[in-house]
Amino acid sequence: MTGQAAGFEELRDLYQEVILDHGRKPRNHFRMEVFDASARGDNPMCGDRVELFLALADGHISKASFIGRGCAISQASASLLTELVPGLTPDAARAMGARLREMAKTGARDDSTPALERLSALSGVHEFPSRVKCATLAWHALDAALDGSKEASSE
Amino acid sequence: MTGQAAGFEELRDLYQEVILDHGRKPRNHFRMEVFDASARGDNPMCGDRVELFLALADGHISKASFIGRGCAISQASASLLTELVPGLTPDAARAMGARLREMAKTGARDDSTPALERLSALSGVHEFPSRVKCATLAWHALDAALDGSKEASSE
Amino acid sequence: MDALPARLDVARIREDFPILSTQVRGKKLVFLDSGASAQKPRAVIEAMTRCMETAYANVHRGAYHLSEVATANFEAAREAAQRFLGAATPEEIVFTRNSTEAFNLVAHSFGRALLKRGQVVLVSEMEHHANLVPWQMLRDAGLGIGLRFIRVTDAGELDLDDYARHLAQGDVGLVSVTHMSNVLGTVTPAARIARMAHEAGARVMFDGSQAAVHRAVDVRAIDADFYAFTGHKLYGPTGIGVLYGKRELLDAMPPFQGGGDMIETVTLEHSTWAAPPARFEPGTPAIIEAAGLLAAIEYVNTIGMEAIEAHERALVEHASATLAQVPGLTLLGSAQDRGGVFAFSLDVAHPHDLSTFLDRRGICVRAGRHCAEPLHARFGLEGGTSRASFGLYTTAEEIDALAEALVAARKFFA
Amino acid sequence: MDALPARLDVARIREDFPILSTQVRGKKLVFLDSGASAQKPRAVIEAMTRCMETAYANVHRGAYHLSEVATANFEAAREAAQRFLGAATPEEIVFTRNSTEAFNLVAHSFGRALLKRGQVVLVSEMEHHANLVPWQMLRDAGLGIGLRFIRVTDAGELDLDDYARHLAQGDVGLVSVTHMSNVLGTVTPAARIARMAHEAGARVMFDGSQAAVHRAVDVRAIDADFYAFTGHKLYGPTGIGVLYGKRELLDAMPPFQGGGDMIETVTLEHSTWAAPPARFEPGTPAIIEAAGLLAAIEYVNTIGMEAIEAHERALVEHASATLAQVPGLTLLGSAQDRGGVFAFSLDVAHPHDLSTFLDRRGICVRAGRHCAEPLHARFGLEGGTSRASFGLYTTAEEIDALAEALVAARKFFA
Ligand SMILES: Cc1ncc(COP(=O)(O)O)c(C=O)c1O
Ligand SMILES: Cc1ncc(COP(=O)(O)O)c(C=O)c1O
């Protein structure tokens, strides 16, 4: 079973425990009744979907939730998003999305803040080109919601 | 000049003197004023064209003429046709066309009659697949004229 | 390999496919995505190389030897396709880019010119998008042509009663259905479908993209009006597909695209069309690809479609039994007559995650909706499925490797 | 070879093309039909082989490594085409089957959706059928779109005064003209043509099938709205062509053909379209051909388009001088700015007979009307012409061999 173990180890870079955990039990997974911004992200290739809801107060994101379907990566990424963006200004939230996209592309972790450290769990996708979109889908939806448009596509 | 001479010799199988002669000075090359059957043959690939006119009397072809443009082979073949089919019944003329098509395909001469012997000058095309249509164009037009249709295509 | 018939020497066949002996990240390649596109045997690669190194020129255009040779080779590919499908004459074979283009060609040319206002096109719920979207576009072209759908049963078979009901409405001009589903593996009763269509006065087209790879096809025995397949799934190159059409239909159809080589005469103002198949092949055709397709057809002919089919039947039996043992796995479709395509869901893992997991073991399967979104919706699987599909080089061991890996994936993701 | 600039080592380049060292009926091959289709360098053949032997899978569809690699290679070809044409983004590059399909795509998609009733398409008298017949079909589609023709001067140049007069009528929606004639060799002033079109509110498309092979092209410098070329003339494989379209135009255009990979979502009833270029590339694309095209672009880039152009200018000069000495020969066209394509008539021999004669000496030239019947009619040459056309591997000696053979042919046929 060395082969298998090896396979598992390699895959742990991508499927870190935090990812599997958020993938299995996504946080803030509900349709918000009253919200200030919302957008849907679709990845037509694999059918992944994330619908994101944001409540805003005093120029900050006060609450975030999502519904959707898809792979562990896309759902975990959305789940993490809903935990990490409350308290941020729209610009700061966007900047966090930009950091995530860069990690997903380069694989470089960013441990400079606790939030980015948690997000760095997603950096493992950079080895899997076809999965990068899964990790970034929710963050595209975030941009779209903040821009006031209704749809985002990770394509 | 051995190379050139060799080239010339090989080509003499295709361009026999009778072909070159008929090609240069096509016989019966005029538009008939009064005719009983006529059809046009076109080879769209190279632009060759033969328009054939037939006069019929007592169930025989009494006269044949053509106008057209094209390569030496197509014009010589049409010219030979106008000399060979007068006096034949439509069926015999068709049969002659069928023999020509076979020669053009197989390269086998047929010296069983003086008429077929003359036609055998065209058997050389069989080595040049793209030229077979040139040799048979007028004969397709003959079939079309006898069938009463207006156009023939060698394709 | 006990499940396989002796007459197909798969080990030897695998040696014909250079890519099958390569490794993926240090693992043996287990390629189970032949339904998306098959790998190429050396014979195909060499035929394309030979074409470019010794016999290349544009076809149908030159009076010189090299062009004559190129033209003869190109037309030899057409004749091979003719015999492969059992068509009456080579003129009934139109080369397209792929299957997709064949449907677009028929939708534009037959659909716009020969279907009448008020008539409908009938497709099934299990069609690949290639056999759906062109008909949607035809419907939306404002010509008054409709589009309806034959139901698929829970087992994944064509609902023939529903089909009969549609035909009974008397407005069906064309039936276009798959000969083998690329998701369910279902092989449809083509001859019967054609007979029913013809009795109702409709024409019938088959999507043979999958079927032609797995079964011997005889378009005249089926009495198909149109039949399409695609070179790259038949171990041939990309860039070439085949549309069979009955001569009298092709003759009656206007061209789809315009350009060189499809015309008889051209003036600035007007053009007249060449006879089929040239009418439907504008511009420089897929010359190098035709050489590859010819080699591919010769390759499967040499092995024999019966042997290929028998091998596949054995694989299907083996896979059905083996996958049934994987806990948490649900197979999509359970048709009586099926080919080597298995779509499935695993309870604890999303298809995309599963693909990534399997890939790390060198196992290639597809994840997604396999260009058959409506079918996935029909089965409530909007999120997609995983799909393993077989080629003539697939072994029982590879299926075993997949099953083992699925069990491991369950441990990993659960 | 004194007429050729030192920087292009033609002897070495010829070694890259396996077919150039083959013989035709015992004679050295003198291939002067590159304008119809060019020969392939080893780099292209090997890239296609490598694709099939090591990196083949369907693209855009698989989440596994092999498919990721295949997809990356495919998209690398798009980026190479983008840089080759000077396009702003790879999304502006649509892969087609050939140039012909590019015109059909624009005629169907842009023509039907974005041209308005009463508008006309303006082409010239020297167009290849690929840039004529699709517009005739659009005109005849009953949408009220017209078609007019820019005159060609006796020298074989675009009559810019006539062009201006057409534009002044205010109804031109699209100008579609060649960037280099495949018969006359004429290179047209693309930037000026585009500027004039834009000033008149029209869009402009260029047929770069010949030009892109012989000159460095920069679609942004020209300010082309659409630009098309075809892989097989650029030393690449058949089965792949390139359509450049400005992003905002492609974005506004509906799809031409429907199928897999060009959609965003599909239900039985409706589909929504993917963004360009996917919107215009339904079904499995030319994966192996893209590998070949990438290699072809890299090949010409390595040699350098400037060096290629300089070599060609030298050949053109040499051919003009040499052919002028052949008694009884008439050249078609005498444009100031011209590329390496020479159509001609010989007084005593029909082009078809001449082809056969030359072929026996290993010399390949084309005979006929070169898919430009209206142009031949314009010059009163309905019977066609002979055409010699050059590639980057063509030598002055080959042109000399042609000239000698023409003199001999005159003796033979006279
Ligand atoms: C000027 C020109 N336009 C268009 C074409 C058509 O190219 P293709 O046959 O590859 O579509 C050609 C070549 O045949 C050409 O020379
Ligand atoms: C059943 C079926 N139809 C049509 C297609 C389309 O084939 P292509 O992409 O070669 O046009 C496919 C494969 O993708 C298929 O499996």
Side-chain angles (χ1 to χ4, degrees):
Chain A
M1 300 301 271
T2 340
Q4 269 190 35
F8 276 31
E9 267 159 40
E10 275 179 69
L11 278 167
R12 284 288 170 225
D13 284 349
L14 177 62
Y15 292 105
Q16 298 186 21
E17 201 43 48
V18 51
I19 305 284
L20 287 177
D21 177 49
H22 275 260
R24 282 189 208 107
K25 296 182 298 249
R27 322 296 199 264
N28 303 306
H29 190 261
F30 59 89
R31 176 186 291 281
M32 233 183 248
E33 296 292 308
V34 185
F35 55 85
D36 298 297
S38 170
R40 207 173 88 180
D42 273 304
N43 182 341
M45 190 185 118
C46 58
D48 284 0
R49 170 173 296 176
V50 164
E51 196 167 350
L52 191 68
F53 305 91
L54 301 175
L56 302 169
D58 302 326
H60 288 71
I61 296 169
S62 56
K63 235 170 61 181
S65 78
F66 83 105
I67 56 171
R69 60 164 196 238
C71 63
I73 311 285
S74 70
Q75 302 304 299
S77 176
S79 174
L80 279 168
L81 181 154
T82 63
E83 289 198 339
L84 295 174
V85 302
L88 300 184
T89 62
D91 279 352
R94 273 188 233 269
M96 184 177 283
R99 285 298 298 135
L100 183 267
R101 277 190 284 273
E102 205 176 304
M103 288 181 204
K105 233 171 75 182
T106 62
R109 295 180 55 92
D110 182 342
D111 297 333
S112 59
T113 71
L116 289 175
E117 197 178 336
R118 289 186 64 197
L119 212 49
S120 293
L122 286 163
S123 64
V125 293
H126 91 103
E127 269 191 67
F128 303 81
S130 67
R131 308 302 306 278
V132 169
K133 286 174 184 173
C134 309
T136 58
L137 182 63
W139 301 84
H140 282 288
L142 175 73
D143 285 358
L146 294 172
D147 288 348
S149 67
K150 283 274 150 277
E151 290 202 31
S153 159
S154 66
E155 295 256 67
Chain B
M1 297 303 271
T2 339
Q4 268 190 37
F8 275 31
E9 265 158 43
E10 275 178 70
L11 279 167
R12 283 289 170 223
D13 285 348
L14 177 62
Y15 292 105
Q16 299 185 22
E17 200 44 48
V18 50
I19 305 284
L20 288 178
D21 178 48
H22 277 261
R24 285 188 206 107
K25 298 183 297 251
R27 322 299 199 263
N28 304 305
H29 191 261
F30 59 90
R31 176 187 291 279
M32 234 183 249
E33 295 292 307
V34 185
F35 54 85
D36 297 298
S38 170
R40 206 172 88 181
D42 272 304
N43 181 341
M45 190 185 117
C46 56
D48 285 0
R49 170 173 295 177
V50 164
E51 197 167 348
L52 190 67
F53 305 91
L54 301 175
L56 301 170
D58 303 326
H60 289 70
I61 297 169
S62 56
K63 237 170 61 182
S65 78
F66 84 105
I67 56 171
R69 61 166 196 237
C71 63
I73 312 285
S74 71
Q75 301 304 298
S77 178
S79 173
L80 279 167
L81 182 154
T82 62
E83 290 198 335
L84 294 175
V85 301
L88 298 184
T89 62
D91 278 354
R94 273 189 232 266
M96 185 177 281
R99 284 300 298 136
L100 183 268
R101 279 192 282 272
E102 205 176 304
M103 289 181 204
K105 233 171 76 183
T106 63
R109 296 179 56 91
D110 182 342
D111 296 333
S112 59
T113 70
L116 290 174
E117 200 179 333
R118 291 185 64 198
L119 211 51
S120 292
L122 287 161
S123 63
V125 293
H126 92 103
E127 268 191 67
F128 303 80
S130 68
R131 307 304 304 279
V132 169
K133 286 173 184 173
C134 308
T136 58
L137 182 63
W139 300 85
H140 282 287
L142 175 73
D143 287 355
L146 294 172
D147 289 348
S149 67
K150 285 271 149 283
E151 289 203 31
S153 161
S154 67
E155 293 255 71
Chain C
M1 219 129 64
D2 49 325
L4 306 179
R7 50 193 175 150
L8 204 66
D9 185 349
V10 182
R12 247 219 44 232
I13 283 174
R14 291 179 69 86
E15 287 173 12
D16 296 336
F17 292 79
I19 207 171
L20 293 183
S21 54
T22 61
Q23 299 211 324
V24 173
R25 313 195 208 233
K27 306 271 171 3
K28 205 170 151 258
L29 176 67
V30 176
F31 189 74
L32 295 174
D33 195 23
S34 293
S37 200
Q39 297 300 342
K40 318 305 173 201
R42 202 169 280 111
V44 168
I45 301 169
E46 283 172 0
M48 294 169 73
T49 297
R50 204 157 48 240
C51 169
M52 291 186 270
E53 291 193 346
T54 66
Y56 186 77
N58 213 328
V59 295
H60 300 154
R61 297 187 179 184
Y64 54 85
H65 183 65
L66 202 56
S67 174
E68 287 174 348
V69 171
T71 303
N73 292 344
F74 183 71
E75 293 304 325
R78 196 187 303 279
E79 283 157 30
Q82 172 211 339
R83 284 189 302 272
F84 184 69
L85 289 180
T89 72
E91 285 76 27
E92 295 180 320
I93 300 297
V94 177
F95 285 131
T96 59
R97 187 213 334 267
N98 50 22
S99 285
T100 302
E101 202 200 22
F103 290 99
N104 282 279
L105 192 163
V106 175
H108 269 261
S109 174
F110 175 85
R112 286 170 188 242
L114 298 179
L115 288 179
K116 298 187 193 64
R117 189 167 285 275
Q119 284 194 312
V120 308
V121 175
L122 196 57
V123 305
S124 87
E125 288 178 340
M126 63 173 144
E127 299 311 320
H128 187 281
H129 296 164
N131 189 22
L132 170 61
V133 182
W135 309 115
Q136 292 180 338
M137 291 167 76
L138 174 63
R139 177 199 58 196
D140 297 340
L143 302 165
I145 293 165
L147 178 60
R148 291 207 305 266
F149 309 96
I150 308 166
R151 276 213 292 266
V152 166
T153 67
D154 289 342
E157 293 177 324
L158 203 68
D159 185 334
L160 290 173
D161 295 331
D162 191 51
Y163 177 41
R165 275 190 295 273
H166 280 288
L167 290 176
Q169 295 189 37
D171 58 355
V172 178
L174 177 71
V175 178
S176 189
V177 293
T178 194
H179 193 187
M180 174 176 155
S181 162
N182 67 315
V183 178
L184 306 161
T186 309
V187 175
T188 58
R192 184 159 168 203
I193 291 167
R195 198 169 54 246
M196 289 170 71
H198 291 149
E199 280 165 11
R203 296 292 185 170
V204 63
M205 175 161 190
F206 290 100
D207 180 353
S209 308
Q210 296 291 338
V213 181
H214 299 289
R215 302 279 171 100
V217 172
D218 184 331
V219 290
R220 277 186 291 176
I222 294 170
D223 198 16
D225 294 302
F226 298 105
Y227 196 99
F229 76 89
T230 190
H232 67 94
K233 295 191 204 267
L234 189 70
Y235 314 104
T238 47
I240 191 163
V242 167
L243 169 66
Y244 160 81
K246 277 188 188 156
R247 184 64 197 252
E248 74 260 26
L249 287 171
L250 294 180
D251 278 342
M253 284 159 54
F256 168 37
Q257 298 190 34
D261 295 330
M262 53 69 75
I263 46 80
E264 202 174 59
T265 59
V266 179
T267 66
L268 283 175
E269 290 300 343
H270 291 287
S271 303
T272 58
W273 316 130
R279 185 184 299 165
F280 303 105
E281 296 178 355
T284 302
I287 300 167
I288 300 160
E289 294 78 358
L293 181 63
L294 173 56
I297 291 176
E298 282 172 353
Y299 183 78
V300 295
N301 282 344
T302 302
I303 295 178
M305 285 310 292
E306 288 70 30
I308 290 172
E309 183 178 338
H311 173 63
E312 172 152 314
R313 283 194 196 276
L315 286 178
V316 163
E317 216 168 283
H318 185 77
S320 301
T322 311
L323 293 175
Q325 318 254 304
V326 176
L329 183 137
T330 313
L331 280 179
L332 196 57
S334 55
Q336 287 288 320
D337 191 4
R338 70 171 301 161
V341 169
F342 286 83
F344 57 86
S345 306
L346 195 66
D347 51 359
V348 296
H350 187 275
H352 224 152
D353 295 316
L354 194 54
S355 248
T356 298
F357 182 91
L358 296 174
D359 183 38
R360 285 281 140 157
R361 295 165 164 240
I363 302 173
C364 307
V365 302
R366 250 184 104 187
R369 288 165 301 189
H370 321 304
C371 293
E373 273 188 53
L375 181 70
H376 279 81
R378 153 76 180 79
F379 284 98
L381 290 163
E382 283 82 358
T385 52
S386 299
R387 185 186 77 178
S389 53
F390 313 149
L392 51 78
Y393 39 64
T394 302
T395 65
E397 285 83 351
E398 290 181 309
I399 294 167
D400 295 342
L402 170 66
E404 260 175 53
L406 289 172
V407 172
R410 234 177 143 244
K411 290 207 192 94
F412 183 81
F413 287 108
Chain D
M1 217 131 68
D2 48 323
L4 306 180
R7 50 194 174 149
L8 203 64
D9 184 349
V10 183
R12 245 221 44 233
I13 283 175
R14 290 179 70 84
E15 286 171 15
D16 295 337
F17 292 77
I19 207 171
L20 293 183
S21 52
T22 60
Q23 299 210 324
V24 172
R25 312 195 209 232
K27 309 268 171 6
K28 206 170 149 253
L29 177 68
V30 176
F31 189 75
L32 295 175
D33 195 24
S34 294
S37 198
Q39 298 300 343
K40 319 305 172 200
R42 200 168 280 110
V44 167
I45 300 169
E46 282 172 0
M48 292 168 75
T49 298
R50 204 158 48 241
C51 169
M52 291 186 268
E53 290 192 346
T54 67
Y56 186 77
N58 214 327
V59 296
H60 300 155
R61 297 187 178 183
Y64 53 87
H65 183 65
L66 202 56
S67 173
E68 286 173 350
V69 171
T71 303
N73 292 345
F74 183 72
E75 293 304 325
R78 196 186 303 280
E79 282 157 30
Q82 172 212 339
R83 284 189 302 271
F84 183 69
L85 290 179
T89 73
E91 285 76 26
E92 294 181 319
I93 300 297
V94 178
F95 285 131
T96 60
R97 186 213 336 268
N98 50 23
S99 285
T100 302
E101 202 198 26
F103 290 99
N104 281 279
L105 192 163
V106 175
H108 269 261
S109 175
F110 174 84
R112 287 169 186 245
L114 298 179
L115 288 179
K116 296 187 192 66
R117 189 168 285 274
Q119 283 194 311
V120 309
V121 175
L122 197 56
V123 306
S124 87
E125 288 179 337
M126 65 173 142
E127 298 312 320
H128 187 280
H129 296 165
N131 189 22
L132 170 60
V133 182
W135 309 115
Q136 291 180 338
M137 291 168 74
L138 174 64
R139 175 200 58 195
D140 297 340
L143 300 166
I145 294 165
L147 178 59
R148 288 205 308 263
F149 309 95
I150 308 165
R151 276 213 291 266
V152 165
T153 67
D154 289 343
E157 293 178 324
L158 202 69
D159 183 335
L160 290 172
D161 295 331
D162 191 52
Y163 177 42
R165 277 190 295 274
H166 279 289
L167 290 175
Q169 295 190 36
D171 58 357
V172 177
L174 177 71
V175 177
S176 188
V177 293
T178 194
H179 194 187
M180 173 176 155
S181 163
N182 67 315
V183 178
L184 305 162
T186 310
V187 175
T188 59
R192 184 157 167 207
I193 291 167
R195 196 170 56 249
M196 288 168 72
H198 291 151
E199 280 164 12
R203 296 294 185 168
V204 64
M205 174 161 190
F206 290 100
D207 181 353
S209 307
Q210 297 291 339
V213 180
H214 300 288
R215 302 280 172 99
V217 172
D218 184 331
V219 291
R220 276 187 291 176
I222 295 170
D223 198 16
D225 295 303
F226 299 105
Y227 196 98
F229 76 90
T230 190
H232 67 95
K233 296 190 205 265
L234 191 68
Y235 315 100
T238 47
I240 191 162
V242 166
L243 169 67
Y244 160 81
K246 277 188 188 157
R247 184 64 196 251
E248 74 261 28
L249 286 171
L250 294 179
D251 277 342
M253 283 158 56
F256 168 36
Q257 299 189 33
D261 295 329
M262 52 70 75
I263 46 80
E264 201 173 61
T265 60
V266 179
T267 66
L268 284 176
E269 291 301 341
H270 290 286
S271 303
T272 58
W273 315 131
R279 184 184 300 166
F280 302 105
E281 297 178 354
T284 302
I287 300 166
I288 299 159
E289 293 79 358
L293 181 64
L294 173 57
I297 291 174
E298 282 171 355
Y299 183 78
V300 295
N301 282 345
T302 302
I303 296 177
M305 285 311 291
E306 287 71 30
I308 290 172
E309 184 177 337
H311 172 63
E312 171 152 315
R313 284 193 195 276
L315 286 178
V316 164
E317 218 168 283
H318 185 76
S320 301
T322 311
L323 293 176
Q325 319 254 304
V326 177
L329 185 138
T330 314
L331 279 179
L332 195 58
S334 55
Q336 288 288 319
D337 191 2
R338 69 171 302 162
V341 170
F342 286 84
F344 56 87
S345 305
L346 196 65
D347 51 359
V348 298
H350 187 275
H352 224 153
D353 296 315
L354 194 55
S355 248
T356 299
F357 182 91
L358 296 174
D359 182 38
R360 285 281 141 157
R361 296 164 165 244
I363 302 173
C364 307
V365 303
R366 250 185 103 186
R369 290 166 299 190
H370 321 304
C371 293
E373 273 189 52
L375 181 69
H376 279 81
R378 153 78 180 78
F379 283 99
L381 291 164
E382 284 81 359
T385 52
S386 299
R387 186 186 75 179
S389 53
F390 313 149
L392 51 77
Y393 39 65
T394 302
T395 64
E397 284 84 351
E398 291 181 307
I399 294 167
D400 294 343
L402 170 66
E404 261 174 55
L406 289 172
V407 172
R410 237 178 140 245
K411 290 206 191 93
F412 182 81
F413 287 107

